Amino acid sequence: MTNTGMVQNGTYFRFDGGHSVITPPAQDLMQRHGIDPHRLLERHCSGDWGDQGDQDKKAWDRALTEGFSLMSVYEVGDEEVWLMTDMERLA
């Protein structure tokens, strides 16, 4: 997997997120907390893996370099939103 090198709205995207889908419960959760889903997608595609430990973040950096699927976790209120990118679908 190569970096896209794409910059949009001042954000450097490390990879193309491909086609995005949001589940209704995740959309409702973010709406209740005033969070723009696009902002979380920007964070995910820029390699900000969210609310995870350092070991997990290093593993996702390695997965990006090696072309494997990726996952970010963001705390929203007392729940979590997961963003996943299936790299096989992007190939």
Side-chain angles (χ1 to χ4, degrees):
M1 180 73 205
T2 59
N3 293 343
T4 65
M6 186 173 102
V7 177
Q8 183 177 358
N9 298 328
T11 301
Y12 176 78
F13 293 99
R14 293 178 63 189
F15 62 95
D16 178 355
H19 179 76
S20 300
V21 176
I22 186 170
T23 63
Q27 186 172 11
D28 291 344
L29 176 66
M30 287 186 273
Q31 186 175 23
R32 282 195 318 268
H33 289 277
I35 295 174
D36 180 357
H38 295 101
R39 180 64 189 123
L40 293 186
L41 185 58
E42 287 176 355
R43 288 178 62 188
H44 176 69
C45 292
S46 69
D48 171 357
W49 309 121
D51 302 306
Q52 302 185 65
D54 289 339
Q55 187 173 4
D56 287 332
K57 290 177 181 181
K58 288 177 185 174
W60 295 123
D61 283 335
R62 251 188 339 272
L64 176 60
T65 302
E66 296 173 7
F68 295 119
S69 295
L70 306 168
M71 186 175 92
S72 297
V73 179
Y74 304 101
E75 291 181 10
V76 177
D78 60 351
E79 299 183 60
E80 294 178 338
V81 172
W82 293 7
L83 276 73
M84 295 172 267
T85 300
D86 184 353
M87 300 314 263
E88 292 177 5
R89 291 182 176 227
L90 294 176

